[in-house]
């Protein structure tokens, strides 16, 4: 347990207070500065992108019909209006399962009979943005034609189709490549995409599964989001890694929590697509599924980090609990907060952990996470955990949609196994 942590939360708000008190003096130099604005910016993704991606549920079994039905479901369920506007077609849209040197990159006419340009027009007419997928290798992860050697040509083609988001996946083709080579291929497509502006502005996702220290440098290359870990599995806390590869929700949290300093408006740590609603029924992902409480916790943590929120389930058949989870406007607001601060782990008592971040209105979002198997009482104290000089503060519960009162003492509440209680703390009276 630590006191008056040199966290981003503490540093922004009360470093002078702690330093005066002598509590942070030794640590103050060690605090890493918050991410500076990237030298290259396309002005996009000022908050984490929200939408849907085809991969987690469907793998490469995708089609124009699926995308149209997905957009209709996002619209009728209210998810589009809740912010889920990117409809991202992942691997499997391409015509050929072949190396690029022997086959062109074009849409599979059986899956996408009207072509991608037509589909982008449909998306735009309905208030969506269309995303597409490629990679810097001869082939993609699923073995389809990649972009190697044709980066400028492909970027121009994507722009001419009206594509708004590109996931550029080097997880397989460049798995063991040295950092310099990964930087080279990520930079190459980044420049090719930026060259399409102002005709078409494209959100750029460099998917490298967290390797080659990508979080440390991708923002500087103008990348809008980058994966911080290997593929997610449909599990909350699987012992070890499924197939010695996949990350569950808690693995992803642990892999990404120290990377928050690299994130900010326009450049985000990506904790991978959401598994909410998969229920162990995915046709693509491994995993046994999670309980509704665990999916809610997963969603809460992705909101806190903050990660892009890309629904991975079949939204045409979403159960009521999953829809309610994905639609929680108060938790979405924590994710979409314009300040774009990342959460810190401000308290770690083994399986009981407290995460916090400052929001743009000066309130603090707090997640009380119980990773253990038994219900526990958990406490957050603005003074002790956040080093905030608050004499009294109001507590709002973002899942119960209720104000819990005004407090002058630490706030304590019951948290069940695998739950994250998400609170928003507002100062009422400040002291010294
Ligand atoms: C993986 C990637 C997945 C998915 C898949 C497609 O490398 O991590 O998210 O895009 O490739 O083949």
């Amino acid at each position: 347990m630590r006191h008056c942590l040199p966290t981003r939360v503490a540093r922004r708000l009360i470093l002078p207070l702690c330093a005066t008190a002598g509590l942070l003096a030794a640590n103050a130099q060690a605090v890493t500065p918050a991410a500076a604005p990237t030298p290259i910016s396309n002005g996009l993704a000022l908050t984490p992108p929200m939408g849907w991606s085809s991969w987690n549920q469907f793998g490469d079994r995708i089609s124009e019909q699926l995308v149209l039905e997905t957009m209709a479901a996002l619209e009728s369920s209210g998810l589009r209006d809740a912010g889920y506007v990117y409809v991202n077609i992942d691997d499997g849209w391409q015509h050929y399962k072949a190396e690029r040197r022997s086959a062109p990159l074009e849409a599979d006419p059986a899956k996408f009979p009207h072509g991608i340009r037509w589909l982008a027009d449909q998306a735009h007419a309905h208030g969506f943005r269309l995303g597409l997928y490629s990679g810097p290798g001869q082939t993609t992860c699923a073995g389809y034609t990649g972009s190697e050697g044709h980066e400028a040509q492909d970027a121009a083609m994507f722009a001419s189709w009206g594509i708004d988001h590109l996931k550029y996946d080097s997880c397989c083709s460049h798995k063991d490549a040295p950092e310099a080579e990964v930087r080279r291929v990520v930079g190459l497509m980044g420049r090719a995409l930026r060259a399409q502006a102002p005709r078409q502005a494209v959100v750029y996702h460099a998917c490298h599964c967290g390797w080659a220290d990508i979080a440390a440098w991708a923002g500087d290359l103008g990348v809008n989001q980058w994966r911080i870990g290997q593929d997610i599995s449909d599990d909350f806390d699987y012992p070890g890694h499924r197939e010695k590869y996949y990350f569950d929700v808690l693995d992803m949290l642990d892999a990404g929590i120290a990377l928050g300093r690299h994130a900010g408006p326009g450049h985000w740590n990506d904790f991978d697509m959401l598994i909410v609603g998969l229920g162990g029924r995915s046709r693509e992902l491994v995993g046994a599924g999670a309980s509704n409480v665990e999916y809610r916790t997963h969603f809460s943590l992705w909101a806190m980090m903050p990660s892009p929120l890309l629904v991975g389930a079949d939204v045409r058949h979403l159960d009521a609990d999953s829809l309610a989870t994905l639609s929680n406007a108060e938790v979405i607001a924590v994710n979409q907060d314009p300040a774009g601060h990342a959460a810190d782990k401000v308290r770690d008592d083994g399986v009981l952990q407290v995460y916090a971040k400052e929001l743009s209105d000066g309130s603090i979002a707090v997640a009380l996470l119980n990773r253990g198997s038994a219900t526990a009482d958990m406490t957050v104290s603005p003074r002790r955990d956040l080093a905030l000089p608050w004499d009294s503060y109001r507590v709002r519960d973002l899942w119960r949609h209720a104000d819990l009162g005004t407090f002058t003492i630490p706030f304590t509440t019951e948290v069940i196994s695998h739950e994250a209680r998400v609170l928003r703390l507002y100062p009422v009276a400040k002291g010294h």
Side-chain angles (χ1 to χ4, degrees):
M1 195 186 311
R2 294 176 294 173
H3 296 275
C4 202
L5 290 169
T7 62
R8 286 184 297 282
V9 174
R11 184 168 42 72
R12 275 191 214 99
L13 295 173
I14 46 64
L15 188 62
L17 174 82
C18 292
T20 309
L23 296 172
L24 266 188
N27 283 326
Q29 294 307 313
V31 173
T32 313
T38 59
I40 304 168
S41 167
N42 56 13
L44 301 174
L46 297 181
T47 60
M50 292 176 64
W52 171 88
S53 166
S54 56
W55 187 257
N56 281 1
Q57 174 71 38
F58 299 100
D60 67 356
R61 300 172 204 85
I62 52 178
S63 67
E64 171 184 298
Q65 191 59 28
L66 170 68
V67 175
L68 292 173
E69 289 175 12
T70 295
M71 291 194 289
L74 288 168
E75 192 171 341
S76 64
S77 63
L79 287 172
R80 181 198 64 186
D81 294 343
Y84 297 90
V85 295
Y86 285 93
V87 173
N88 291 350
I89 302 170
D90 207 285
D91 210 354
W93 63 272
Q94 312 89 326
H95 194 176
Y96 299 105
K97 264 199 164 171
E99 294 197 335
R100 185 63 183 268
R101 56 175 69 90
S102 57
L105 179 60
E106 56 190 43
D108 183 335
K111 292 176 175 175
F112 296 92
H114 290 89
I116 304 295
R117 168 83 244 183
W118 179 86
L119 200 49
D121 287 345
Q122 299 299 309
H124 298 154
H126 289 268
F128 292 101
R129 297 175 194 154
L130 196 70
L132 209 56
Y133 168 102
S134 192
Q138 284 292 313
T139 56
T140 63
C141 272
Y144 291 89
T145 308
S147 287
E148 184 174 9
H150 299 264
E151 293 80 4
Q153 175 194 340
D154 290 358
M157 178 172 77
F158 298 149
S160 76
W161 288 347
I163 290 305
D164 306 288
H165 184 286
L166 179 71
K167 176 174 174 181
Y168 199 56
D169 184 357
S170 46
C171 295
C172 299
S173 58
H174 290 70
K175 182 172 187 312
D176 300 314
E179 182 183 320
E181 174 61 3
V182 182
R183 278 179 183 253
R184 189 187 69 76
V185 296
V186 168
L188 193 58
M189 182 51 91
R191 285 193 298 281
L193 290 175
R194 283 193 301 281
Q196 307 311 313
R199 174 172 63 153
Q200 187 68 16
V202 184
V203 172
Y204 184 30
H205 172 191
C207 180
H208 195 61
C209 294
W211 304 317
D213 207 12
I214 186 166
W217 49 264
D220 291 343
L221 294 188
V223 177
N224 298 113
Q225 62 188 91
W226 52 84
R227 281 260 298 277
I228 56 86
Q230 289 150 216
D231 295 39
I232 197 166
S233 72
D234 186 11
D235 300 293
F236 183 76
D237 189 14
Y238 183 82
H241 301 305
R242 278 191 194 271
E243 300 180 12
K244 297 193 179 132
Y245 176 78
Y246 291 91
F247 281 10
D248 59 35
V249 167
L250 293 184
D251 294 332
M252 211 62 90
L253 170 69
D254 294 341
I257 187 60
L259 302 175
R261 66 186 182 283
H262 302 303
H267 46 109
W268 305 105
N269 289 313
D270 183 336
F271 286 64
D272 206 355
M273 299 162 290
L274 295 164
I275 55 170
V276 177
L278 289 180
R281 293 181 303 269
S282 164
R283 295 181 67 184
E284 183 59 39
L285 281 200
V286 297
S291 70
N292 182 44
V293 166
E294 291 168 336
Y295 281 142
R296 231 167 41 198
T297 298
H298 155 52
F299 189 70
S300 304
L301 293 169
W302 268 228
M304 290 291 295
M305 289 305 109
S307 171
L309 298 177
L310 294 169
V311 180
D314 183 350
V315 290
R316 301 168 306 172
H317 306 289
L318 216 47
D319 62 278
D321 283 338
S322 299
L323 180 58
T325 295
L326 297 169
S327 307
N328 185 331
E330 293 193 80
V331 174
I332 291 173
V334 168
N335 177 267
Q336 294 290 300
D337 186 77
H341 296 316
D344 279 311
K345 183 161 52 175
V346 298
R347 195 175 172 85
D348 189 347
D349 297 338
V351 294
L352 305 180
Q353 299 177 335
V354 180
Y355 295 83
K357 71 170 172 180
E358 180 194 358
L359 300 177
S360 49
D361 64 354
S363 64
I364 305 289
V366 173
L368 305 175
L369 171 64
N370 180 355
R371 302 166 69 126
S373 54
T375 298
D377 281 342
M378 292 190 68
T379 297
V380 61
S381 157
R383 278 193 182 270
R384 180 198 61 200
D385 299 320
L386 310 172
L388 289 168
W390 292 1
D391 285 338
S392 62
Y393 59 100
R394 182 164 63 85
V395 178
R396 181 157 179 86
D397 187 315
L398 305 191
W399 283 108
R400 296 177 188 194
H401 303 298
D403 286 329
L404 303 183
T406 298
F407 298 82
T408 54
I409 56 173
F411 175 78
T412 299
T413 189
E414 196 173 88
V415 187
I416 67 172
S417 168
H418 292 182
E419 185 186 22
R421 294 288 298 275
V422 185
L423 311 171
R424 193 159 173 168
L425 312 185
Y426 297 85
V428 173
K430 294 184 183 178
H432 302 289

